[in-house]
Amino acid sequence: MRERRDKDRDATMGSSCSSELVLLSHALGHVLARDVTAKQNIPDKKCSMMDGYAVREDDLVVGKNEKEEDQVVLRIMGEESLAGEATPKGISSGDACYITTGAVLPLNADLVVPVEQTEELTREREGERLVRIRGVKSLHAGKFVRQIGSDIKNGQVVLRTGLTLKSAEIGILAQLGVAKVHVFKRPVVAIMSTGNELVDYSAPMDNSKNTTVIRDCNRIMLQSCLREMNLGAQIIDYGIIKDNRYDVENALKQAIRHADIVITSGGVSMGDKDYVKPILEEIATVHFGRVRMKPGKPTTFATTELMDSKKLIFALPGNPVSAKVSYHLFVEPALHFMSGNESWHHPLLVTTVTHDIRMDPVRTEYHRCRVAWDAVDQKLLSRSTGHQQSSRLLSTANSNGLLIIPQGEGRINSGSKVKTLLTDLPQRLTSDELKEWMAVVSGAADGHHHHHHHHGTPPPDSSKIASAHERPLASQEKTIFNVAIITVSDRVHRGEMQDKSMPEMQKFFDQQNSLEGTSTLWEVMHTAVVPDESKDIRDKLIECCDREHVHLVLTTGGTGFSPRDITPDVTLPLLTRRADQLTTACMVDGLNSGVPTAMLSRAVAGIRDNTLIINLPGSSRGVKQNLETLMKGRLEHALKLMISKPTEH
C-alpha cells in the first residue's frame, strides 16, 4: 500500500498547476506560488502600544529616587500625538505628551506611561497642565513602545511558497500592502460514474422493469469531497457513462482534454464490461491497477501528457465505500500536491480501539471509525462504525478516521493501540458516550470479555500493530506472491468477445487463498488485455517483470498454431532461464485427461530475473486444468526457490 502511494506521489511530481496573479480579496484558500518578502519595516516608526503619555526616561529619575512616593509630576504639552495625525516635533525636559495607541512617539521620548498610571492635576498657574505619574520604578526606556521592525523587518521572507492562505495570512499580506498575490491555479477536476445499472440519484425508481437499478451516489459524494477540501477546484460533471467501450473511451478522452485530474468510479474490476482499465492502458500510462488494501482493491492510477501538461487519472471502484476510501488515500493528497501544498498529508495518530477487529489474512484494511477525545484519561479513542462492507455507505457516516488494520490471522482486541488516519477532526465525547465507550474497554481489560485468536495466536503487540502494514512480503507466517494476468486476444481487446479465462484465474487464486491452513497467499496485482501484436505483448510482459516486479506472470491465449498465435514467440527472447518442464507437465496432464488438443500448445515457461512467466491456453477450461496441474507440482515451492538468496551447492 505504501509503495502504491509512493508511485502516486512520484507520478504526480511535475503536475502542479501553473500560477496566476489574483486580487488579495479573492486569494483566501489559494496556495502561494512565490515567497512573499517584506519591502518595509512594520512598524516603520516607533509607536505607542497604549493610550497614555510619552515621556523621557531621564525625567523619571527624581521620582525613582524618592523612597516614599515612587512618583513624579511633569508638564503636559499643548500638542498631542494622535494616531493617523501629524506628530509633535519633540518634547523637552520635564514634558509629557499625551499619546494614543498606534501614534508615533515624538522625538526625544523613549517610553509610554499608560493612562492608568497617571492622574491629571488642577492648574497651578494659568495655561499650565500637570500630570502625576505613579509607579515610576517599574518604567524604563522602551516600555510600551513598538520598535521599528519589531513585527516585520524589511527584507524578511514573511510567507513561503506552498502555504495555504487563510484569514491570518490574508491580514499579513494586507499589512504589507500586497494588493495582488501569485498563487497556484486551482485544479480542474472531471468526475464521471460508469455502469448500465446506474440512474441519477434524483430519478424516481422504476420497479416495473425486471432489472437491478442503483442510484448513482458516487458522483455527488466525490464532488462533495472536493468541496470539503476548500481548494476551490473547478468541477466538470460528466454524468453517468454507460458500459459501452466507445462511450467510455470518448468520455475519458474528453475529460483528459479539459481537466487536470479525472476521477471515475466503476469499470475497473475484471468483468467483460469493465472497460476503464483496458482503455487507460491504451491511452495513458497505468502506474498501478490493483492495491493490496481493503476496501479499494481495483483502484487504478494513470497519467498522460497533453500540451506539455501532465494529466492524472484516478479510476476508483464502483462500490461507494471503496470509492470514498480510495479518494481519501490517493486523490486527496494528489489534489493538495497539484495545488502547491506539497507537504500536506492526513494526520496519523495512535488511538485506543474500543472493540475487537478481525484482521484480513491477505490485505491491509482501512476500517472506518469515529475518533474522539477522552478528556478523563487524556487519550484518543476509536470506535468502529459497524459493518464494513464496501457497498454499505452508512459505515462512513459520522466517520472521521480510518483504522489501519494490518493483514494477518486472528483479531485485534479491544483496548489495543492502532495507527489511525484522520479524515476529519476528532470529536469530544459527551459524558454518556464516554461511559458507554469506556465500559467496553474496561470490560476487555478486566477479563469480562474473553476473546481468543484463532490457532492459539497471542494478542498482537501494540507496537507491532502500528507498523504491521509496512511489513515485507513474508508476514504473519504467510508468503504472499504477487501475480499478473495478461489476456492475449484481438477479439477480447476489441470488445467483441467476453474474456472468460482471466476471471477463471482470479477465481482459482481466491479459492487457493481460502484453503484452511494454507501458508501461501496469491494476490492478483495486475491485469491487462492486449491484442495479438508482438509489441503490445512484449511491452506488457516487460512492464510486469521489470517495473511491477511481480513474482508470477500468467498469459492466456495465443499459444496455438494459427499465424496470430505469437505469445510463446514473444515470450521466449525475454527469458533468462527456461522452465519448459512446467508447460510439459500441463500438456501431459491434458492428454491424460482426454484432451488430445493439448499437444497443439506451443506454450513456454521461464524466468526473467525474479519473475516466472508461464503461457497458458486461451480457453477457460484449459486455464483451470493447467493451474491445477501447476499447483499439484508445488508452484509455490518453485517461486520460493526463485526468490531465495543464492547458496553454494
Side-chain angles (χ1 to χ4, degrees), residues 614-646:
I614 304 176
N615 297 155
L616 300 181
S619 72
S620 57
R621 178 186 173 188
V623 161
K624 181 180 180 182
Q625 188 175 55
N626 280 194
L627 287 175
E628 289 173 347
T629 299
L630 292 168
M631 286 300 175
K632 283 190 296 185
R634 296 301 303 272
L635 176 62
E636 69 273 17
H637 182 62
L639 290 172
K640 288 177 182 178
L641 290 174
M642 180 186 70
I643 64 176
S644 63
K645 294 182 179 179

Side-chain angles (χ1 to χ4, degrees), residues 39-86:
K39 297 181 179 179
Q40 65 182 86
N41 288 311
I42 296 179
D44 59 350
K45 299 178 179 66
K46 292 183 179 180
C47 299
S48 174
M49 298 170 64
M50 311 284 284
D51 289 347
Y53 291 88
V55 301
R56 299 164 65 246
E57 184 184 31
D58 290 346
D59 290 334
L60 304 182
V61 173
V62 176
K64 288 183 177 181
N65 291 334
E66 293 289 340
K67 295 180 181 180
E68 301 288 337
E69 299 296 332
D70 189 23
Q71 62 181 14
V72 69
V73 176
L74 300 176
R75 295 185 301 272
I76 299 175
M77 291 175 55
E79 292 181 282
E80 297 180 338
S81 182
L82 306 177
E85 297 188 10

